[in-house]
Amino acid sequence: MTSEKTTDDVLIVGGGLAGLSLAASLGHAGLRVAVADRDAPATQLDEAFDGRTTAIAFGSQRLLTEIGVWSRLEADAEPIREIRVADGGSSLFLHFDHREVAPITGNAAPFGWIVENRRLRRALFERCAELPKVTHLAPMAVEDHAVEGETVTARLADGSTRRARLLVGADGRTSPTRERAGIATIGWPYRQTAIVCVAGHEKPHNGIAVEHFLAPGPFAILPMTDAPDGTHRSSIVWTERPETVEPLLAADQATFDAELQRRFGPHLGAVRTLGRRFSYPLSLLQARRFTAPRLALVGEAAHAIHPIAGQGLNLGMRDIAALAELIVDHARLGLDIGSPALLQDYARRRRVDALALSAATDVLDRLFSNDIPPIAAARRIGLAAVGQVPSLKRFFMRYAMGQRAGAGLDLPRLVRGEKL
Amino acid sequence: MVASQANRPAQMPSSSVDPSEIAHFAKDSARWWDASGPFAPLHRLNPVRLGWVRDQAIQHFGRDSKSMTSLAGLTVMDVGCGGGLVAEPLARMGATTLGLDADAVAIEAATAHAAGHDLNLTYRVGSVEAEPADTYDLVTALEVVEHTTDPTAFVIACARTVRPGGLLLLSTLNRTAKSFALGIVAAERVLRWVPAGTHDWKKFVKPAELARACRAAGLDVVDTTGLVFDPLAGAFKRSATDLSVNYFLAATKPTA
């Protein structure tokens, strides 16, 4: 270990979407932050690194606006104005129109926006580079960390050490930080793999997101901005049984496109894939604890849920909004930002939300990913019923937009669109 | 109770320091910063009382409420600072801070806790009577008044050190049936939040008495705020109207 030591307020392990969003939130408020990521920024911006898109809910968009990121992203974000949910081949639609949530948002704001992960990543890189108190260390792995008194010290891959009041694990579902802290996880894999790709189609999508519940799992068509050459595009999240995925990924373009078209239906005209196909095995994972001494977990390090409702990143954004608010409020009062009281408060605020969403998405998936006749019939009635009851429907929409907190808890300021 | 020699305050011509009070705190002084130790209630109280102090200072001195160093450039004296639970945060808010206490062990704990941090923070064993007049922008004495020999004399002594145009911030316990029930019976004897003998109910001060002492010292009272425990949230919070147990009082010294 060298004698060189640098002291930050907060050291974030993992410079993905969650880690960088937290760094920008804290740096924006004037705290000294370091983010360490094992991958180089150029690698992370490469199209081959992450082919996914993200559904940014209304609440997450407010957070990104507040921390100066959204303005760089707006041109690459396609608003979702309508959501159509269809059960298999049935013609029963659950239809959500953004004009119905005007009472929630104050105007006819969209439900959310679809953004390519690498665009969001680039906007976050740029914003963090602008903030004088944010240090972005990449590529730089964190090898180890230890707590002593009111300080946590991390050893970095280059042999240097950094000290901070608080360490944040934002290093994803396999979080080495979580493992080092001895925090166990609970969860199970789904017998499902998501194929992710971008589809070009003849007709414009008009801002409509479609979720088809097919027996192997949901098939989602998410509206994207047009390509520079004017091609209409949608992002596809196509859930299949693992054994079906292999041949699909290996198939030639024409075969794959034919399979895609079959699930797409005719409503957007002829469909073809643009760029690479990616695949991600799905699993549900929840950390048993969200904190350890001087450590808080955020994003997928704390909880990875089923992508069925497009809530993964938004759940992580609510972690960030809650943690950033607690840290900033404590720092302004000159209080210890890694204190047991703060960490306890963070865990209390987040656990309800994370568990409720894990359970809801798990149940949704189990309900929809099967062909057992009584269940299929019941869910058709259920879908229709939700559509018939305006208050129930608004409840779902409000949750999807990230505008509901757990019982008895206030939404963090950043999610309400207020300054930290 | 007998105070050990080390803990006995420096002899002052006239001091508000009560030696038996100092002895009471001194036996736990090494554990001031243990959030689950004998001073746990003060740790729990700290966010809300620091929030009130900061808000009053921001309002009075016209500071930016979003700043991380909202008290930068101000000189502050925290009287009866104990282990520095208030003085150190005030220094982190940017103030040039002096923490004063009659308990040498507490001052030692406070000094040790702040060591190695780059703060404008000094600790000294002593009592407020020996401090120069008309000096500090802000003088704080939180949960101290009720531990002094003569609350009125103590408030006047604190007020004397505030510079014209400066601010005096106090918090203490009201002398009501409810404060006896909660502060003495519940907190000391039933819940054991604080060691038995921490408080003497007869020394508790009514808001009107505290305000009268401030006015006698030539200060104007600008705010009184209650502090209540919210059992649902498990936390203390401010109350505009309920001053029946804990409360804050802010007073300003007129310029010239």
Side-chain angles (χ1 to χ4, degrees), chain A residues 58-81:
Chain A
F58 181 69
S60 303
Q61 184 260 352
R62 296 217 280 204
L63 180 147
L64 292 170
T65 302
E66 200 48 59
I67 64 174
V69 172
W70 186 251
S71 55
R72 299 162 197 282
L73 199 59
E74 211 168 355
D76 296 316
E78 181 68 23
I80 305 171
R81 301 194 184 283

Side-chain angles (χ1 to χ4, degrees), chain A residues 220-243:
Chain A
I221 307 167
L222 306 167
M224 291 171 68
T225 51
D226 286 348
D229 67 1
T231 307
H232 303 308
R233 299 186 302 172
S234 288
S235 168
I236 306 306
V237 182
W238 173 359
T239 323
E240 276 291 346
R241 294 191 183 92
E243 60 271 20

Side-chain angles (χ1 to χ4, degrees), chain A residues 276-413:
Chain A
R276 290 183 39 159
R277 308 161 201 165
F278 299 84
S279 74
Y280 303 92
L282 304 181
S283 63
L284 181 139
L285 178 146
Q286 172 108 23
R288 284 194 177 273
R289 288 178 289 131
F290 286 7
T291 66
R294 301 271 147 197
L295 172 67
L297 300 177
V298 298
E300 294 211 316
H303 41 65
I305 61 172
H306 195 284
I308 192 163
Q311 292 302 314
L313 180 99
N314 297 306
L315 183 60
M317 287 292 185
R318 294 205 289 277
D319 294 344
I320 284 153
L323 185 59
E325 180 170 312
L326 284 167
I327 291 173
V328 167
D329 285 353
H330 275 67
R332 286 197 182 123
L333 295 179
L335 288 167
D336 180 3
I337 57 171
S339 70
L342 182 151
L343 291 169
Q344 212 179 346
D345 213 1
Y346 170 65
R348 187 179 63 87
R349 285 198 193 194
R350 295 307 303 145
R351 184 155 289 275
V352 180
D353 187 13
L355 271 177
L357 207 51
S358 297
T361 51
D362 187 61
V363 168
L364 267 181
D365 182 62
R366 281 163 198 274
L367 195 56
F368 282 101
S369 304
N370 69 66
D371 260 341
I372 305 162
I375 294 180
R379 73 186 179 225
R380 284 192 191 110
I381 295 163
L383 274 186
V386 171
Q388 295 309 314
V389 182
S391 62
L392 195 58
K393 205 167 143 183
R394 269 202 297 277
F395 174 86
F396 278 117
M397 288 194 283
R398 209 186 264 261
Y399 207 110
M401 295 169 76
Q403 294 297 302
R404 279 201 69 83
L409 298 172
D410 288 335
L411 277 173
R413 292 196 291 273

